[in-house]
Amino acid sequence: MLNLTRADGYRISTDPTRIDLDRVHRWLSTDTYWAMGRDRATVARAFANSVPFGVYRPGDGVQVAVARAVTDSATFGWLADVYVEPAERGRGLGGWLAGAVRDHLADLGVRRIVLATNDAHGVYAKVGFAPMEHPDRWMQLDTRGLS
């Protein structure tokens, strides 16, 4: 289990029992472009089947950010659902969190980590993410419109 503490007292933990799922559900379902309206059961199932990363505020230990890594813990990872509470933005927590996920997965031997973002390219670039060299090799199946 990962536990990191920054000089200013913020902590990152992968302890799933520390994730405040009610808070995370509220953030994702009401304040993101990628998970707007997502129901709580789906959020709970997604986090239960991923490596959860929570960021906790110094002093009171309240969760202020989240991410999850979807991974086989051997070759591939997907960084997903990265969110920093609005009042905590501008403190470098998003980049720190992305770097912690990167390092944790690298320690497992994972050599390819992907993510998707509309608006935070600069945050992720600072920790080594770059556009795909061969996006033409990647495909997707989006079943949301296949009902």
Side-chain angles (χ1 to χ4, degrees):
M1 194 166 313
L2 177 71
N3 285 294
L4 299 172
T5 303
R6 251 181 18 174
D8 60 3
Y10 283 91
R11 301 182 84 117
I12 291 178
S13 174
T14 57
D15 181 351
T17 66
R18 291 198 64 192
I19 296 293
D20 183 341
L21 275 176
D22 290 330
R23 179 179 286 257
V24 170
H25 171 251
R26 185 177 67 252
W27 288 338
L28 296 179
S29 68
T30 66
D31 194 34
T32 66
Y33 61 84
W34 68 89
M36 189 65 64
R38 189 177 288 170
D39 64 78
R40 190 184 185 291
T42 299
V43 171
R45 195 167 65 248
F47 275 83
N49 291 295
S50 302
V51 180
F53 290 76
V55 177
Y56 304 91
R57 188 169 47 217
D60 62 10
V62 170
Q63 186 174 349
V64 297
V66 73
R68 64 188 178 95
V70 181
T71 184
D72 60 9
S73 298
T75 63
F76 184 81
W78 169 38
L79 176 55
D81 290 337
V82 179
Y83 184 89
V84 177
E85 189 173 82
E88 300 289 336
R89 292 178 186 163
R91 301 174 197 269
L93 296 175
W96 183 50
L97 181 54
V101 173
R102 175 203 61 206
D103 295 346
H104 182 72
L105 293 179
D107 287 347
L108 298 174
V110 172
R111 295 293 175 246
R112 181 180 304 270
I113 306 168
V114 298
L115 63 82
T117 184
N118 278 351
D119 56 1
H121 295 81
V123 171
Y124 298 114
K126 289 178 185 175
V127 295
F129 286 87
M132 288 187 179
E133 287 186 35
H134 302 285
D136 54 312
R137 294 182 185 173
W138 291 83
M139 297 179 70
Q140 73 172 9
L141 173 61
D142 187 343
T143 62
R144 290 176 288 190
L146 300 178
S147 296

